[in-house]
Amino acid sequence: MAEAASQDPSADAAEPSHPAIPSGRGHLAEPDGTSAARSPSARGIHTARAAWSRLPESVRATLPLWLGSRIAVALLSLAAARALTSRPARDAPGLRTLWDHWDVGLFTKVARYGYLSPAYSDRTEVDFPGLPLAIRLVHLVVPDWIVAGLVVSLLAGAVTAAALWRLAADEVGAPAARFAVVSLISFPYAVFLFAAYSEGLFLAFATASWLAARRQRWWLAGLLGAGAASTRISGVAFGVALAVQYVVGRRAAGRPVFAWPALALALPPIPVLAYLGYLRARTGGWGAYTDAMRDGWHRGTDWPWSGWATTWSSATDGNGASTFVWFWRGELLAVVVGVLLTVVLLIGRRWGEATFVGVMTTIMACTNYYASGIRGILVAFPLYLLLARAAARSPRVAPVYLLLCTPVMATLVIAFTQGQWVD
């Protein structure tokens, strides 16, 4: 079966380094006879290389790529800020200011003051607590709240890149697995993987959980799935998908479905129920989340065709602001992509992945208007695994994807950091 568990749990382990041997001159030497440490700097380099070689292969394959892409995004935002302003050069905004826009401020408010605080009036109850808690934790060592959020996204992205590479490499090998990471980094809305938004943290938990599920390590998968569920509403869809993947994985491994590991599937719902219980204790009603969504964002549940009609009207409004018109068009496209991706995954009999994308698409479509759907597609990691499989079959997939998506991604980085509405 396509989603059967990997039979090689040690596939990600690094190869052991050769032991150093005496050189006969008071130093250690490598097997080829060269001195392993002739100076403090040489010893430092040797130690760093040895430490690097002991890291998992997935980390060594992706960390330079991830960090390099973050540097490129940071430089792009800084260059755009200086090229697109008429203010004096000394007044050009720094990196912190450029990345403090839109929902970043909302997550930061929750991290600083908590929910339902008199310090602000925004209805932040619609934001799950996972990211604010992570920001608050990092804030213990990073004094600036905005920078703390950027650090969370940076670290979460490194975990995502490594887990995504491992998931793809198990199927198509290392060369094509690299494109899974590149396709994520180049996704048009990947700007939200740099900013202090919840997408990066969700992906870190979700991809690591899926990897644990592939290894049949269900308690770890359930615990990481609970982390994903604590970050955003997409975690509800992921919890359902993890249950489907459990059944698929257990049957493929020839193991009984009704066994102790099945209890791990109860872990992902716990953060959601705990959060709703917290809001119930603070507000006195179980509908605090939906009330905040309605009062703060004018959103509620509705039939998919009703939401489509409303969003279509906004997307074709010639008198509407250009940024918002294109935003609505992106939301319509997100639902289409979600449906098509679900169908493709079902045809490929990838039941767990199809469940995640399908349930997530249903949630974002069953509202009175579409919003944040394109960020839902951003966290649909089965898309990047599908692209890696396609790239392994055809060398044309990677360049075509990069040609189409990278310019859009760069444009949206500039738009976001210039305070233009992106999503």
Side-chain angles (χ1 to χ4, degrees):
M1 253 240 195
E3 295 194 34
S6 170
Q7 301 302 313
D8 183 14
S10 62
D12 204 23
E15 295 183 2
S17 57
H18 295 291
I21 59 177
S23 67
R25 295 189 297 275
H27 298 289
L28 293 178
E30 296 297 331
D32 62 1
T34 59
S35 175
R38 295 180 179 178
S39 67
S41 61
R43 284 196 297 270
I45 294 174
H46 177 75
T47 301
R49 287 177 176 174
W52 177 257
S53 68
R54 286 193 292 269
L55 290 174
E57 182 187 7
S58 58
V59 176
R60 289 184 278 116
T62 60
L63 188 57
L65 176 62
W66 174 252
L67 294 179
S69 71
R70 300 308 85 186
I71 293 172
V73 170
L75 292 177
L76 174 62
S77 64
L78 289 169
R82 281 144 183 79
L84 300 177
T85 182
S86 58
R87 294 183 296 179
R90 64 177 177 273
D91 296 333
L95 200 64
R96 179 201 181 280
T97 302
L98 290 172
W99 290 93
D100 182 12
H101 291 293
W102 307 113
D103 287 6
V104 173
L106 300 180
F107 285 116
T108 302
K109 287 176 181 177
V110 177
R112 295 182 65 179
Y113 307 112
Y115 294 100
L116 302 166
S117 170
Y120 64 89
S121 60
D122 303 285
R123 300 304 302 270
T124 55
E125 303 96 296
V126 299
D127 296 320
F128 278 34
L131 179 60
L133 288 173
I135 293 175
R136 193 169 187 84
L137 181 63
V138 173
H139 179 66
L140 295 176
V141 293
V142 179
D144 188 280
W145 289 98
I146 303 300
V147 176
L150 293 175
V151 170
V152 171
S153 292
L154 176 67
L155 297 177
V159 173
T160 300
L164 188 63
W165 184 92
R166 185 72 269 168
L167 285 167
D170 285 349
E171 296 188 42
V172 297
R178 181 180 176 85
F179 180 62
V181 179
V182 172
S183 62
L184 170 65
I185 292 172
S186 305
F187 188 80
Y189 280 75
V191 59
F192 296 107
L193 300 180
F194 192 104
Y197 272 61
S198 60
E199 283 71 22
L201 192 59
F202 173 86
L203 272 172
F205 279 121
T207 52
S209 174
W210 208 251
L211 182 59
R214 288 268 190 94
R215 301 287 194 263
Q216 298 290 299
R217 301 176 64 183
W218 291 108
W219 286 104
L220 178 58
L223 184 62
L224 292 169
S230 74
T231 62
R232 55 185 290 113
I233 193 66
S234 304
V236 174
F238 185 80
V240 177
L242 200 62
V244 173
Q245 183 69 5
Y246 169 81
V247 175
V248 172
R250 296 287 290 188
R251 287 182 174 177
R255 297 176 182 177
V257 172
F258 297 101
W260 281 110
L263 295 178
L265 301 176
L267 295 176
I270 290 176
V272 179
L273 296 175
Y275 179 53
L276 294 178
Y278 165 79
L279 293 179
R280 166 68 171 79
R282 291 291 306 275
T283 65
W286 286 105
Y289 178 85
T290 53
D291 290 345
M293 187 69 75
R294 181 188 64 250
D295 297 339
W297 310 97
H298 309 292
R299 294 189 72 190
T301 57
D302 207 337
W303 295 108
W305 48 86
S306 178
W308 178 277
T310 301
T311 309
W312 179 272
S313 177
S314 298
T316 55
D317 181 8
N319 295 320
S322 179
T323 52
F324 283 95
V325 167
W326 283 102
F327 156 72
W328 297 121
R329 293 173 182 177
E331 293 301 323
L332 293 172
L333 181 60
V335 173
V336 173
V337 171
V339 172
L340 293 178
L341 180 57
T342 302
V343 171
V344 171
L345 293 171
L346 286 173
I347 293 174
R349 302 174 66 85
R350 308 187 74 87
W351 309 118
E353 295 177 9
T355 300
F356 172 49
V357 178
V359 174
M360 184 171 60
T361 302
T362 301
I363 291 174
M364 66 186 186
C366 290
T367 57
N368 56 327
Y369 69 88
Y370 300 164
S372 302
I374 198 69
R375 286 194 275 132
I377 300 302
L378 171 64
V379 302
F381 63 89
L383 170 63
Y384 312 113
L385 299 178
L386 178 65
L387 288 168
R389 293 191 292 270
R393 291 192 298 268
S394 172
R396 297 181 180 179
V397 170
V400 170
Y401 178 91
L402 294 176
L403 181 65
L404 293 175
C405 293
T406 304
V408 181
M409 182 273 292
T411 300
L412 294 182
V413 166
I414 295 172
F416 181 90
T417 54
Q418 290 298 303
Q420 300 298 319
W421 180 254
V422 174
D423 189 325

